[in-house]
Structures are given as structure tokens and as C-alpha cells.
Amino acid sequence: MSNTLLMAVDLGTSFIKVGVYNEAGEFITEAIESVKDYRPGPGIFIQKGEELYESVVACMKKTVQKLGDRSGDVAAVAFTGQMAGFMGVDKDWNDITTWSCSLDSRYMPYANRQMETLKDHFLRVGGTNFPQMAPKYEWFKTEFPDEAKKISKYLMISGYVIGRLGELDIEDAVMDRTYSAWTGLCDVNADDWSDKTCDAIGLDKKFLPRVVTSNTVCGKLSASAAKITGLKQGIALVSGAGDKAAGCLGSAAVEPGDGVFEASSYGQISCCVPEYRADSEYGRFDAMASPVPGEFYTVHFAAGSGITIDWYVNTFVRKEGEDLGAVFRDLDSKIADLTPGCNGLMSIGLLSGSSMPSDGILRGMWMGFDWSHGTEHFYRALLESFTYDLALAIQSKDRIYPEYKGTPVRIIGGGAKNPVWSQMSADVAARPYFTINRSDCAMWGAAVLAGNGIGLFGDLKETVKKHITKEKEYTPNMEMHETYKKYVKLYSDYLVELRDFYGRIQELASKA
């Protein structure tokens, strides 16, 4: 066994995280650095490219200092992180637009207008219900025309960081395939930009980076970046994959039918498939290109589910100075004895609307509560609502990919620690759910791509399978499933029947 180390850089919304692994898959060390953001008005959420880059190199430097003498063993760096957004840079990699992630909603009027004419194309060809880069391009070009003239390339955040660390020529800018769907600009089956989409919004493809596989060596660490970080000059910069895709890879969900439930800030249900087939009837899932070339994941987000749960607990349950972990443990113990349906209390937890299908009108609601309901009932109702939302996506996946119906689902993310939610998920979906031995799936997935990119690891699938073992399994209770089926149907009906009600509320609020 050699001493080779691999570095993974996670470009998160709030934090940059850098982790190091050896080729045996063992975690060595990590560091975290916060990221600045600016929220000068409603719907505005921006991060400056230079400040993001400074956070990245500072975090890499911290990690190198922890490694000490072993820092010279780092042979490659790969990237993961935010998967939806937009950034325009000039020929010298200067940030023109700032990094505008999915939380920056100024582009929404342009997204709504594009969806009126391109909705079916976005889904069938682009693989998405919720395009980001396409409408953000039109928004910036229209509202900031002088600044837009300075832009040489439109990028994802990982491509920007790779370009800066490697001091690449702007024409060597890249985007790995896992980001393709949420740009709205790609033909996901071709792993390339769509001529039709680009022509429809007036975007010349010369402004777009080269689409590459997730194990591509995109450049080498420059002398100046090496000096700042303490790493060796010339080590490989590997494209990596978006955090959701890297998490699927790191959890070894790499064979057709392998499912993943990521219980995190944006709760996600995914299934590995060999080809993309659109859910044209309901639009309940998008196509996420896999880090394994040629494969995909059907993926559905319950938008902001984990953020909503944290908001509820911090706003209505947690007392000042109380440990957050202890509060969650207490709630989880209380909801274990509650029956499905929370004694007549139901919830819609889509506080920021629905992403799949795209519907910004929907919001949150609890209904049916009376004096018998306590904080634990409202908490469980939220968990049930997100489980129902994911179940509807599973139903669509089963209908379109019947050959993978009923396949087991691995659980990753913070919610994997919650046995009640895990059992609930198995019961609602009528399939086994199980936890695994890793909690660092996205970072480990990026590290595997770094190793594969430099030839240290062979076949991607076989590499990740060797490092994952099943731990606790949750077998579905079919009696519970029959009960939950009625609530899933009711939840589905409410999303349609209450939409006008939500719209009327928002119309009144806008006039207040």
C-alpha cells in the first residue's frame, strides 16, 4: 500500500469543507471554512467569487497544516458541492455576475417565461423541471447589459475554482456532466449543450464551458496556488461531481435500481438507471447524470425539507440555550408512539414551493389539528409530508422504470440517524430501507473520483462497492403501508386542490 492521499473539496453554500483520504478509503483529516453571503433585499442571495475562492484556499491551507509532513503525499484534488446556480467570468477569471445559487430568486420571472414555451423541452431533453442557468443567463443579460458584455464564460462554481487553482486559459473552462440537468441548457443524453435551447434563449455556445466526465484531470495546481495552500505544485485537479451525485457514488448506489434517500437540507430520493426517460405526465423527477459515464439517477427533491424541520424545531420547540441534538432526540422518542396520520393532523411542508414539478405557488400548511395535538404531532406531520412527497416521486419512477420497482433504498445524510423516519420511509414506499457504514458519502465519492482520475483506482463501481457495507435494515410493514397509501393520495390531492387557496393568500399579501 502506497502513502498516496486524495483531497476532496466540498463547495457548500454556507461552508467550504476539505477532507483527505488514503487509498484504503480511510478518512485522514478535514477542515471547514465559512463562506460569506450577501442578502441586501428580498429574494437576493449572492456570493462573491473572489471571497469564495479565498475561503477555498484558506480551507485547503488549514487541511495541509493538519496533515503536516504528509501533505506531500496528496496526489490529486477533486471537487463536489452546490449543483444549481450561475456565474459569469471574464477572460481573466474575474467574477462579473457573482455566484448566484438557487437561493437567489431574482431570475424567477425569466424562468416562468421560459417554462411557458420550453417546459416540455427542458424536461425531455434537458432533464429538468427547474432550469437555473438558462433563465439566469437571460435575466443577467437583460437587466445588466453592460456587465454582461464583459463575460467570456458562464460556469458552475466548481469550474470557477478549478480554473483559478490551475490558472487555466479561459477556453479550457469545464463543467462535469453531473451538473448538466439543472443548467437547463444541456441535452443530458448527449452530455453536451443543446443547440435548440441555446438558440431559443439567444445564447452562443462559445460562452459555455466544455462538458467533461467526473474523473477528468482538468489541469494542474499552479505555482501560486501551491504556495498559498502548501500543496505540491502540479498535482492533478480532477473535475469531481456535484454533491448529490457524489453522495450517490460514495454510497455505492451504482447499479441500475440502486436507490438513495438523502435525508438532508434538501431531502432527495434517487434511483440509478441506465438511461433517462422523462416523467412527462407528472414531472416528479429530474435526470441527474451519474459520475459513472453513461448512467443517470432519477432524482426528486422535497425542497428545503431539512431546512424546514430545523426552522420548526428552532422556532417552536427549542428553548434558549437548549442543546439542539437533545431536542431532536426528545422529539424522535415522542413521535415513535404516534400513529400514522398524527391523530388527524396533516401537513404540507413545501415552504418554498415545489421544485418537481416546478410550482412556486405552494407553501406550508398544517391542517386538522385541535387541542389534543402537541409539538411532537406537528413535527411528525412534517416528516410524514416529506415522506409522502418523496413517495409520489417513487411512484412515478416505478411507473416509468417498472423493471426497478421495489428495489431497496440506502439512507444517507443526517436523517439516517432517525429510526422513526427511516421506518416510516420503508412503510410508505413499501420497500426495504437500510443504513450504511459511511456518513461522508459525498466527500468520499469525490475522493474516489480524484483517485480514479490519476489511475490510482480502477473501475469506479467496484472501487466504491468495496468500501460500503449494509448496517441496519428497515423492513416495510405492509399493514402500515396500506394505511399510509390513503394519506399519500390525500397529500397528492391537496397539492392540486389547495393551489388556488395558496395563490389567493399570496395575492392578498402582495397588496398589503
Side-chain angles (χ1 to χ4, degrees):
M1 180 77 63
S2 73
N3 294 320
T4 302
L5 298 179
L6 304 164
M7 180 175 283
V9 178
D10 185 354
L11 306 165
T13 305
S14 301
F15 297 94
I16 304 297
K17 187 175 180 181
V18 175
V20 177
Y21 296 81
N22 64 19
E23 61 184 280
E26 297 167 336
F27 167 77
I28 303 300
T29 191
E30 68 178 9
I32 298 176
E33 185 79 13
S34 62
V35 177
K36 292 181 182 178
D37 64 64
Y38 299 86
R39 312 180 196 194
I44 304 176
F45 186 99
I46 58 178
Q47 294 173 311
K48 297 178 180 179
E50 186 61 40
E51 292 177 347
L52 272 165
Y53 180 69
E54 289 174 355
S55 293
V56 169
V57 294
C59 197
M60 293 172 74
K61 182 178 180 179
K62 282 183 182 178
T63 310
V64 167
Q65 290 171 342
K66 290 185 176 182
L67 285 173
D69 293 340
R70 293 210 63 191
S71 62
D73 295 331
V74 177
V77 184
F79 302 84
T80 185
Q82 302 177 58
M83 293 194 69
F86 157 94
M87 187 177 192
V89 300
D90 68 15
K91 63 182 179 62
D92 298 314
W93 295 90
N94 294 307
D95 174 16
I96 304 300
T97 63
T98 74
W99 168 245
S100 172
C101 71
S102 60
L103 298 176
D104 184 19
S105 60
R106 291 174 289 171
Y107 74 104
M108 281 304 297
Y110 297 88
N112 292 335
R113 187 157 56 248
Q114 287 184 7
M115 288 291 281
E116 288 176 4
T117 57
L118 293 169
K119 180 178 179 179
D120 183 60
H121 180 78
F122 279 138
L123 183 59
R124 287 187 303 101
V125 177
T128 185
N129 291 271
F130 196 61
Q132 292 272 311
M133 189 181 284
K136 283 178 183 278
Y137 161 76
E138 188 179 357
W139 156 70
F140 196 83
K141 181 182 178 182
T142 302
E143 304 206 8
F144 304 92
D146 292 336
E147 293 300 300
K149 292 175 183 176
K150 303 175 185 178
I151 294 172
S152 294
K153 290 291 179 185
Y154 294 99
L155 304 167
M156 299 302 293
I157 188 63
S158 60
Y160 169 73
V161 171
I162 290 170
R164 291 289 306 273
L165 287 172
E167 295 183 7
L168 304 183
D169 185 280
I170 195 64
E171 293 306 317
D172 291 326
V174 299
M175 181 189 78
D176 90 81
R177 74 185 297 261
T178 65
Y179 292 92
S180 58
W182 289 305
T183 67
L185 294 169
C186 279
D187 179 338
V188 292
N189 282 308
D191 277 345
D192 204 355
W193 305 105
S194 165
D195 289 327
K196 179 178 178 178
T197 312
C198 291
D199 290 346
I201 67 171
L203 172 58
D204 191 323
K205 291 198 297 183
K206 72 179 183 181
F207 292 108
L208 297 171
R210 180 167 53 101
V211 180
V212 299
T213 56
S214 299
N215 61 351
T216 299
V217 176
C218 305
K220 304 289 186 180
L221 190 69
S222 70
S224 60
K227 184 177 180 180
I228 296 170
T229 61
L231 290 168
K232 291 186 303 186
Q233 179 183 348
I235 64 174
L237 301 174
V238 179
S239 49
D243 53 4
K244 302 298 184 184
C248 289
L249 176 67
S251 68
V254 290
E255 296 295 348
D258 284 351
V260 180
F261 169 36
E262 182 181 351
S264 61
S265 296
Y266 277 66
Q268 163 200 337
I269 192 77
S270 307
C271 180
C272 182
V273 292
E275 62 182 3
Y276 170 56
R277 308 171 196 164
D279 179 19
S280 298
E281 184 174 357
Y282 296 107
R284 294 207 183 276
F285 61 75
D286 281 5
M288 181 173 69
S290 169
V292 177
E295 296 187 352
F296 297 89
Y297 294 94
T298 64
V299 59
H300 174 90
F301 296 117
S305 55
I307 296 171
T308 299
I309 291 167
D310 285 346
W311 162 81
Y312 168 71
V313 171
N314 282 303
T315 304
F316 299 107
V317 184
R318 185 186 184 192
K319 298 180 177 62
E320 186 175 353
E322 196 171 7
D323 178 71
L324 183 60
V327 176
F328 272 109
R329 287 190 292 273
D330 181 60
L331 282 172
D332 291 339
S333 67
K334 289 179 178 177
I335 66 172
D337 296 327
L338 299 181
T339 56
C342 296
N343 299 337
L345 171 60
M346 278 195 72
S347 172
I348 294 176
L350 302 175
L351 271 60
S352 61
S354 170
S355 296
M356 301 171 197
S358 180
D359 189 342
I361 299 298
L362 295 173
R363 288 294 186 271
M365 179 180 287
W366 281 285
M367 64 196 89
F369 55 92
D370 59 27
W371 293 306
S372 70
H373 294 103
T375 54
E376 65 274 19
H377 294 85
F378 289 88
Y379 172 62
R380 177 165 177 137
L382 276 178
L383 295 181
E384 288 183 349
S385 76
F386 296 132
T387 310
Y388 301 156
D389 202 75
L390 298 174
L392 291 174
I394 292 173
Q395 289 177 8
S396 283
K397 188 273 297 179
D398 286 350
R399 176 172 49 84
I400 295 172
Y401 295 90
E403 63 268 43
Y404 306 126
K405 186 174 182 178
T407 52
V409 178
R410 65 210 66 206
I411 317 167
I412 64 176
K417 301 174 185 176
N418 185 335
V420 179
W421 197 3
S422 299
Q423 185 62 55
M424 180 193 302
S425 299
D427 293 344
V428 172
R431 66 200 64 206
Y433 276 59
F434 63 91
T435 60
I436 58 176
N437 60 315
R438 299 202 79 110
S439 60
D440 57 349
C441 294
M443 292 284 280
W444 167 236
V448 170
L449 290 168
N452 182 262
I454 62 172
L456 183 67
F457 297 143
D459 183 81
L460 281 172
K461 292 186 177 184
E462 295 308 312
T463 299
V464 293
K465 286 178 186 177
K466 288 190 298 186
H467 296 279
I468 293 297
T469 57
K470 183 187 296 187
E471 292 193 330
K472 184 170 182 179
E473 183 165 354
Y474 297 87
T475 302
N477 181 320
M478 296 310 294
E479 184 177 342
M480 288 290 193
H481 172 69
E482 291 303 315
T483 300
Y484 276 126
K485 275 174 60 175
K486 301 169 187 175
Y487 286 103
V488 173
K489 176 63 168 61
L490 193 57
Y491 177 85
S492 178
D493 291 343
Y494 281 155
L495 294 182
V496 176
E497 295 168 3
L498 294 176
R499 190 178 186 279
D500 178 63
F501 177 75
Y502 283 111
R504 287 157 56 196
I505 292 176
Q506 291 170 44
E507 183 180 1
L508 284 175
S510 68
K511 295 177 181 178

